[in-house]
Amino acid sequence: MSSRRGLVRALSVAPMMEWTDRHFRWLVRQISRRALLYTEMVTTGAALHGERDIVLGFDPSEGPLALQLGGDDPQALAECARIAEGMGYDEVNLNVGCPSDRVQGGNFGACLMRQPSRVAACVAAMRAAVALPVTVKHRIGIDGRERYEDMLEFVDAVAAEGCDRFTVHARIAILAGLSPKENRTVPPLRYPEVYRLKAERPGLVVEINGGVRSLDAAAEHLRAGVDAVMIGRAAYEDPYCFAEVDRRFFGETEAPPSRFEVARRYAEHADAHLRAYPRRKASAVLRHVLGLFTGQPGAREFRRILSETRDERPPSVRMEAALTAVRRAHERIAEHRAAAGS
């Protein structure tokens, strides 16, 4: 087995289709400088033949950043890895976890867990092509291969070709009969099997994924022995939950920016993007920041103002209106408390 590449980063934000685009990644990077971020899954066909700036482009400030690829052809994946390295990505990740019918039709994603030798060949080809870390995101199993021993067989085969990290979604994927959404909730979480994998293969880097909703939960997984934790939808729904990541998990001492600071920075980013691409819709950029005030007074009004599709004001102007609504909500609560205490 080849020597391991790359740093072990304790926290990452999961790759999520239609969510973890360059705008959401830019937003998260204003909150955490150290967490590993991912692109949405990009198929080898799109990476090789699509318009590169649209399909693979990113701002250098988004790093550390991993490109997640979908495919099953070792040589095509190797060529995509070369492109990723040339563009400045920090890692290449192979998707062996997506259960959608479309992905299965292309013979990639979770269905590849039936073919450990093919995944191993893909990892070997990518590692031979680049100096980047090459990692795999997979399930603990799929229908018909649901036992811990089946996962161990898969991991051992892929590890033999030097996979630098295994990110394990702690649910099986049921490929026949459940939608992708149902596959994120219906199969039960089996965290102990991921802990067992790390205990039985201590030389491997094992990251756990699936159902992690808070930094406290992430810390518990790390105490259980895994090397890293990946957070998915919770990070999208409430991106400011990552505000303490750098201090808590990476030893940083600098305080994070406030929600208000992040909001204004993001509005400036949105303004610049729409000036460069005037045909793009503001809603496509502003949608990623809607969860910034989740759980805070005024959050609903904040979302309403930014979601108004008929509002043609620049994002920065709309953002100030939304932030004014949040401040007023805080003021009302303060006034109510003052009156109650008088």
Side-chain angles (χ1 to χ4, degrees):
M1 184 170 64
S2 305
S3 60
R4 193 179 70 216
R5 303 171 181 174
L7 301 175
V8 178
R9 297 182 173 91
L11 262 292
S12 67
V13 177
M16 294 175 280
M17 292 300 294
E18 299 185 359
W19 286 9
T20 52
D21 66 11
R22 61 198 307 173
H23 303 299
F24 179 69
R25 300 191 304 259
W26 196 94
L27 171 65
V28 174
R29 195 53 79 213
Q30 308 313 302
I31 301 168
S32 168
R33 295 180 299 176
R34 301 289 297 277
L36 177 64
L37 305 183
Y38 285 78
T39 66
E40 304 168 86
M41 182 187 68
V42 179
T43 66
T44 53
L48 293 174
H49 308 298
E51 188 173 341
R52 193 160 295 175
D53 181 61
I54 294 176
V55 176
L56 298 174
F58 65 97
D59 189 289
S61 67
E62 295 171 33
L65 179 63
L67 171 63
Q68 187 181 67
L69 292 169
D72 71 334
D73 180 82
Q75 297 313 308
L77 286 163
E79 182 56 32
C80 290
R82 291 188 192 96
I83 293 170
E85 187 171 53
M87 294 184 69
Y89 280 94
D90 297 283
E91 175 184 310
V92 179
N93 177 266
L94 181 61
N95 183 322
V96 189
C98 181
S100 78
D101 291 341
R102 181 179 65 83
V103 165
Q104 289 183 61
N107 194 42
F108 58 95
C111 66
L112 281 176
M113 290 197 73
R114 293 195 182 100
Q115 304 175 65
S117 60
R118 178 176 284 271
V119 177
C122 292
V123 168
M126 287 189 284
R127 276 188 123 251
V130 298
L132 294 179
V134 175
T135 65
V136 171
K137 186 175 188 294
H138 62 94
R139 296 282 183 135
I140 58 171
I142 56 175
D143 34 350
R145 291 182 60 84
E146 302 176 22
R147 303 175 306 151
Y148 171 79
E149 291 76 15
D150 295 323
M151 176 175 68
L152 191 62
E153 177 190 351
F154 171 85
V155 167
D156 283 344
V158 179
E161 297 299 340
C163 180
D164 293 295
R165 186 181 64 254
F166 292 87
T167 298
V168 189
H169 186 147
R171 290 184 173 94
I172 67 166
I174 299 175
L175 303 182
L178 289 186
S179 68
K181 181 178 180 180
E182 291 168 329
N183 263 301
R184 293 192 296 269
T185 56
V186 173
L189 287 161
R190 289 157 49 178
Y191 294 138
E193 295 183 25
V194 186
Y195 305 154
R196 181 181 173 187
L197 174 65
K198 177 60 185 179
E200 294 185 359
R201 298 293 186 269
L204 301 181
V205 178
V206 176
E207 180 176 46
I208 198 166
N209 170 234
V212 184
R213 301 292 304 179
S214 69
L215 299 189
D216 286 344
E220 287 195 18
H221 286 303
L222 292 171
R223 285 193 291 271
V226 295
D227 299 290
V229 180
M230 175 181 280
I231 298 180
R233 276 157 177 75
Y236 190 88
E237 294 162 1
D238 180 11
Y240 203 72
C241 75
F242 264 58
E244 289 299 321
V245 161
D246 290 359
R247 291 198 288 191
R248 188 167 178 179
F249 297 96
F250 294 96
E252 297 284 352
T253 58
E254 184 178 344
S258 70
R259 285 182 171 88
F260 284 83
E261 291 172 311
V262 172
R264 289 194 174 97
R265 291 178 192 174
Y266 191 79
E268 291 173 2
H269 164 79
D271 280 352
H273 180 75
L274 294 175
R275 284 194 298 269
Y277 301 95
R279 293 187 179 182
R280 304 275 173 89
K281 293 184 177 180
S283 58
V285 184
L286 289 175
R287 67 189 177 95
H288 296 303
V289 79
L290 297 180
L292 186 60
F293 283 86
T294 293
Q296 300 295 303
R300 181 179 297 179
E301 188 68 2
F302 177 83
R303 292 192 299 269
R304 185 194 67 76
I305 292 170
L306 295 183
S307 299
E308 177 52 68
T309 57
R310 291 171 294 181
D311 191 337
E312 297 182 355
R313 293 176 297 174
S316 56
V317 176
R318 294 170 63 177
M319 184 63 74
E320 284 304 321
L323 294 178
T324 296
V326 172
R327 280 196 301 272
R328 286 174 177 165
H330 280 266
E331 290 166 359
R332 286 194 296 271
I333 289 175
E335 291 168 1
H336 176 76
R337 288 174 177 169
S342 61

